């Protein structure tokens, strides 16, 4: 059993004592439990190309969207405060551009609503803590109610009305950025210190707070200023049961040599009015789990932001425009570009197409042909938040899913992100089967079942283009709304999503008008 492979937590109570004529004692509770199994069942965000991480802006903050720091008191509810009251509230405020602190606090999400659903059976005094990965999964499936609906109270009963409210306020998705050594078998999600810092900064720049779990030393309880200064007595081997969850809401390369801004749940009397700066090196040493959380853009705005419609039996649906855009660049291992030109699938020599069944999709073909053994890589550039998938096939007709690499890899990307395939340091080589290969890249505004798409395409005959249309059907965006680039593999498109709000049903339905998926098909000829 490795050092931190455990699921039990001892809720920490740090008794910070100060002298001002009399002794005053304050309680600092924690309560994060970390489970190797649930971490392993949570996808890790695909590692981005170094192109995405170069030249990041020196500072960024989501603090204007934060609620007033709350106090979890003597309960082990930090996970619920970090993720419901903190992360979910920030995402909601940012989605609707709410910066008025009074309005943000009014619509802060309930820590009690979340904790009551993720706590251990029999935890009637709210002392046993909870698992951050399970918390985000619950928020993705069932949402959260507002604190005004479910105020903070241990062992509170959740009403049907609260559940109906919560279902309209889900998070969209979550993926692990990294997990520290010993947090899961094989240390699959471990990153180098500089990468831990870089991917966290990149997630923040994409407009998402980062949900984090920590193993903290005693000195963290006694912070008096705006920065946490560790001491020589702080050792990784000490206080190993002190699991704590907090939300990272910003960073500044020039603050204390580089530091993250952290929202805690110990009230405004702790540190810097409830916030604290954690130096990059200390973050890399003590943070053992970081997860990026994406907002659902179709949550209903509060009346203060958008005047409420005239009361009707059914709330007015939420409608929002979305954009997809990106491009794909092919590079030989020597660094040279692999030029492409636009064509249509009418002109591609694909499979056993017959003229009568050719599908007129926009596609691209290499300007030249390449010898077997040619080494190259390609870069998938995402301009707007999107899910990205990649498939490969050849004249045999077999379709292989090549991205995501496996089911535990998330290709839900924020804006201005680049994936290098297979990586910045590895290449693809054309095999000895001379002829023509095809790449199919899908940009999507919604999550797709990529493995099933590949299986369905392999279960039918015909051209790749006809398989795409047969499998994706109405999910494909109409070609008339897609603007394809002529000189590179790229596009831009706009669509509309509508959410029918939940009133009596157990779910809120989202409908995308005109499809959500843009296909980019590329022909690679080799000799």
């Amino acid at each position: 059993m490795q050092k931190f492979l455990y699921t039990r937590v001892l809720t920490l109570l740090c008794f910070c004592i100060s002298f001002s004529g009399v002794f005053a004692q304050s309680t600092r509770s924690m309560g994060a439990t970390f489970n190797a199994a649930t971490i392993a069942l949570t996808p890790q965000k695909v590692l981005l190309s170094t192109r995405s991480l170069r030249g990041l802006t020196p500072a960024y903050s989501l603090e204007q969207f934060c609620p007033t720091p709350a106090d979890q008191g003597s309960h082990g509810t930090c996970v619920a405060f970090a993720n419901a009251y903190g992360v979910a509230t920030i995402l909601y405020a940012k989605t609707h551009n709410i910066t008025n602190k009074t309005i943000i606090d009014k619509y802060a999400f309930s820590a009690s609503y979340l904790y009551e659903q993720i706590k251990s059976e029999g935890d009637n005094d709210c002392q046993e803590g909870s698992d951050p990965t399970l918390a985000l999964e619950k928020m993705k499936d069932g949402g959260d109610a507002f604190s005004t609906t479910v105020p903070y109270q241990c062992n509170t009963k959740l009403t049907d009305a609260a559940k109906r409210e919560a279902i309209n306020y889900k998070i969209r998705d979550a993926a692990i950025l990294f997990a520290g050594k010993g947090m899961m078998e094989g240390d699959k999600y471990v990153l180098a210190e500089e990468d831990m810092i870089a991917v966290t900064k990149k997630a923040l720049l994409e407009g998402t707070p980062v949900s984090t779990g920590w193993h903290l030393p005693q000195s963290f309880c006694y912070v008096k200023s705006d920065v946490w200064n560790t001491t020589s007595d702080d050792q990784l081997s000490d206080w190993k049961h002190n699991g704590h969850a907090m939300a990272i809401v910003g960073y500044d390369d020039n603050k204390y040599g580089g530091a993250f801004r952290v929202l805690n749940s110990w009230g405004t009397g702790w540190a810097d009015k409830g916030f604290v700066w954690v130096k990059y090196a200390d973050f890399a040493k003590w943070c053992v789990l970081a997860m990026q959380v994406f907002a659902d853009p179709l949550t209903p705005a509060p009346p203060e932001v958008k005047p409420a419609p005239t009361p009707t039996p059914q709330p007015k649906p939420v409608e929002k425009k979305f954009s997809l855009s990106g491009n794909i660049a092919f590079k030989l291992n020597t660094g040279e570009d692999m030029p492409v030109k636009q064509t249509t699938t009418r002109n591609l020599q694909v499979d056993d197409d017959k003229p009568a069944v050719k599908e007129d999709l926009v596609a691209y073909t290499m300007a030249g042909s390449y010898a077997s053994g040619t080494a190259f890589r390609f870069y998938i550039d995402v301009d707007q938040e999107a899910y990205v998938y990649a498939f490969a096939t050849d004249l045999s007709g077999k379709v292989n899913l090549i991205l995501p690499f496996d089911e535990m890899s998330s290709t839900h990307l924020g804006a201005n992100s680049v994936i290098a395939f297979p990586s910045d340091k590895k290449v693809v080589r054309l095999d000895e089967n001379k002829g023509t290969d095809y790449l199919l890249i899908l940009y999507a505004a919604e999550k797709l079942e990529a493995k099933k798409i590949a299986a369905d395409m392999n279960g039918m005959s015909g051209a790749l283009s006809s398989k795409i249309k047969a499998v994706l059907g109405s999910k494909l965006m109409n070609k008339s709304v897609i603007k394809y680039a002529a000189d590179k593999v790229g596009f831009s498109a706009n669509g509309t999503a509508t959410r029918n709000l939940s009133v009596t049903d157990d779910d809120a339905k989202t409908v995308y008008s005109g499809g959500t998926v843009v296909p980019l098909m590329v022909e690679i000829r080799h000799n």
Side-chain angles (χ1 to χ4, degrees):
M1 185 68 72
Q2 295 184 18
K3 183 177 179 182
F4 293 129
L5 292 183
Y6 55 81
T7 60
R8 182 170 174 265
V9 69
L10 301 179
T11 302
L12 171 68
L13 301 179
C14 294
F15 295 104
C16 306
I17 301 174
S18 62
F19 187 77
S20 57
V22 294
F23 283 101
Q25 179 171 285
S26 61
T27 302
R28 306 297 187 200
S29 297
M30 296 192 182
T33 67
F34 305 111
N35 187 321
T38 58
I39 291 173
L41 290 172
T42 306
Q44 182 186 28
K45 182 179 179 179
V46 65
L47 295 180
L48 300 178
S49 167
T50 55
R51 294 182 175 199
S52 296
L53 306 177
R54 293 176 189 152
L56 299 179
T57 182
Y60 182 79
S61 178
L62 293 167
E63 194 166 335
Q64 62 180 322
F65 302 113
C66 291
T68 301
D71 192 345
Q72 69 184 89
S74 61
H75 302 304
T77 51
C78 63
V79 167
F81 270 96
N83 293 291
Y85 186 85
V87 169
T89 302
I90 295 166
L91 290 173
Y92 183 65
K94 186 175 187 301
T95 295
H96 300 291
N97 197 30
I98 308 169
T99 56
N100 183 302
K101 195 69 67 178
T102 300
I103 298 176
I104 294 174
D105 289 346
K106 180 179 178 180
Y107 294 98
F109 288 100
S110 170
S112 285
Y113 183 88
L114 179 58
Y115 189 79
E116 289 301 324
Q117 296 181 86
I118 60 175
K119 71 180 185 181
S120 303
E121 186 177 353
D123 181 18
N124 295 323
D125 56 358
C126 302
Q127 291 298 305
E128 295 184 18
S130 54
D131 183 339
T133 58
L134 292 182
L136 293 178
E137 193 65 29
K138 181 62 68 173
M139 293 164 65
K140 187 166 64 172
D141 291 341
D144 203 335
F146 294 120
S147 293
T148 50
T149 303
V150 185
Y152 185 47
Q153 179 182 344
C154 179
N155 212 29
T156 190
K157 180 177 174 57
L158 303 183
T159 65
D160 290 340
K163 294 176 182 177
R164 286 194 298 271
E165 178 178 90
I167 208 71
N168 293 310
Y169 300 96
K170 299 178 182 181
I171 60 172
R172 189 181 192 189
D173 201 4
I176 291 177
L177 296 175
F178 66 82
K181 290 183 179 179
M183 295 297 289
M184 63 186 298
E185 294 289 350
D187 287 339
K188 182 179 177 182
Y189 296 167
V190 169
L191 297 181
E193 178 178 326
E194 62 182 36
D195 293 328
M196 294 168 67
I197 296 166
V199 299
T200 303
K201 290 166 64 174
K202 178 64 171 66
L204 290 164
L205 281 172
E206 291 173 12
T208 65
V210 176
S211 169
T212 54
W214 307 66
H215 284 127
L216 291 172
Q218 296 184 53
S219 64
F220 193 78
C221 302
Y222 298 90
V223 179
K224 299 291 186 184
S225 65
D226 68 340
V227 62
W228 172 35
N229 290 306
T230 57
T231 72
S232 59
D233 294 330
D234 292 336
Q235 300 295 327
L236 282 172
S237 59
D238 294 338
W239 297 63
K240 67 179 181 181
H241 293 291
N242 297 346
H244 193 44
M246 298 182 287
I248 296 183
V249 301
Y251 72 88
D252 192 329
D253 291 344
N254 299 313
K255 200 82 173 177
Y256 303 106
F260 287 110
R261 186 68 162 166
V262 178
L263 169 64
N264 201 359
S265 52
W266 292 348
T268 55
W270 177 81
D272 185 16
K273 299 179 181 178
F275 294 88
V276 71
W277 289 100
V278 176
K279 299 170 188 175
Y280 291 156
D282 293 328
F283 163 78
K285 182 176 182 179
W286 299 98
C287 182
V288 296
L289 183 65
M291 296 176 285
Q292 183 171 11
V293 187
F294 291 92
D296 184 336
L298 293 175
T299 52
E304 290 88 342
V305 175
K306 183 177 181 180
T310 303
T312 61
Q314 186 79 14
K316 185 178 180 180
V318 177
E319 184 177 285
K320 194 157 189 174
K321 303 292 183 183
F322 68 87
S323 297
L324 292 174
S325 64
N327 64 82
I328 305 167
F330 293 82
K331 295 274 188 181
L332 293 171
N333 197 32
T334 59
E336 297 174 71
D337 290 332
M338 299 171 70
V340 299
K341 57 184 179 181
Q342 190 183 111
T343 182
T344 72
T345 52
R346 290 183 185 275
N347 298 318
L348 295 185
Q349 302 300 311
V350 287
D351 295 331
D352 55 355
D353 249 357
K354 297 180 177 60
V357 296
K358 286 183 182 290
E359 301 288 349
D360 188 16
L361 295 175
V362 172
Y364 295 85
T365 185
M366 291 291 168
S369 61
Y370 297 90
S372 295
T374 298
F376 70 97
R377 64 176 58 88
F378 59 90
Y379 297 90
I380 303 174
D381 196 302
V382 178
D383 299 330
Q384 310 289 336
E385 182 182 334
Y387 294 87
V388 181
Y389 307 92
F391 305 82
T393 188
D394 54 27
L395 289 177
S396 72
K398 180 174 173 56
V399 178
N400 297 301
L401 174 64
I402 60 174
L403 193 72
F405 303 110
D406 56 47
E407 292 181 306
M408 289 298 102
S409 180
S410 171
T411 52
H412 186 176
L413 305 182
N416 303 314
S417 296
V418 182
I419 299 175
F421 186 92
S423 74
D424 284 313
K425 297 180 180 180
K426 296 180 180 179
V427 294
V428 179
R429 290 186 184 276
L430 295 178
D431 60 26
E432 294 303 316
N433 297 318
K434 298 177 182 180
T436 309
D437 294 321
Y438 304 95
L439 286 174
L440 169 65
I441 313 295
L442 301 180
Y443 286 72
E446 61 178 323
K447 189 172 185 177
L448 303 177
E449 296 182 61
K451 192 174 180 180
K452 184 177 184 301
I453 289 172
D456 288 347
M457 286 197 287
N458 281 324
M460 61 181 67
S461 60
L464 178 59
S465 54
S466 60
K467 291 179 180 180
I468 296 168
K469 297 202 76 171
V471 171
L472 293 174
S474 62
K475 287 185 180 294
L476 286 174
M477 296 188 77
N478 192 297
K479 194 177 68 173
S480 65
V481 302
I482 306 171
K483 192 174 187 178
Y484 284 98
D487 58 345
K488 62 182 178 180
V489 183
F491 78 99
S492 62
N494 296 303
T496 302
T498 304
R499 165 73 53 78
N500 295 315
L501 302 180
S502 174
V503 178
T504 57
D505 296 336
D506 61 355
D507 199 5
K509 305 297 189 298
T510 300
V511 176
Y512 292 92
S513 303
T516 62
V517 183
V518 175
L520 291 177
M521 187 173 169
V522 184
E523 177 189 55
I524 303 174
R525 289 174 285 125
H526 70 276
N527 49 50

